[in-house]
Amino acid sequence: MQASSLANVWCGILRWMDTNQDTSAAGGVDDDPAAWPDDRMVDYAGFSRLTGLRTGTLRHYGTKSKGRPAERRLIPEPDDHAREPDGSAIEARPRWKVSTVRAWMASRPGTGRAGVKRGPRRSTS
């Protein structure tokens, strides 16, 4: 198999996993995110189901937000992290309360760059 077709297969597998795999603490695939209680903890997959954003997008937001002050973060600070059996936190597995995700969605700006208002186009003639 050629490298380019192998890459296409791999991308297809990742895309399928992104849309079909639900490993969130929030529940099974048939669970309705609108009915989730506010204190339930969700991982990236549950965050994705609540917001409609792809898990890859959310992970990118998380990476870009590291080290930024709270008002400049692209994604909210995690409320907790998944835990090892010995109780130590797994930093790569953040979790949020459903209430945190809903508050973040309510405060997100609309489409386009935040605070930038576009005026009428200038005529080039």
Side-chain angles (χ1 to χ4, degrees), residues 40-54:
R40 183 173 251 171
M41 299 298 283
V42 295
D43 60 4
Y44 278 117
F47 200 123
S48 173
R49 291 196 53 215
L50 279 166
T51 62
L53 297 169
R54 295 185 57 185

Side-chain angles (χ1 to χ4, degrees), residues 11-62:
C11 286
I13 290 170
L14 291 176
R15 212 173 303 124
W16 177 84
M17 287 174 60
D18 221 12
T19 57
N20 295 317
Q21 184 179 24
D22 182 32
T23 59
S24 71
V29 174
D30 297 329
D31 204 6
D32 180 19
W36 292 350
D38 284 343
D39 61 343
R40 183 173 251 171
M41 299 298 283
V42 295
D43 60 4
Y44 278 117
F47 200 123
S48 173
R49 291 196 53 215
L50 279 166
T51 62
L53 297 169
R54 295 185 57 185
T55 55
T57 301
L58 295 169
R59 287 180 192 278
H60 176 74
Y61 285 178

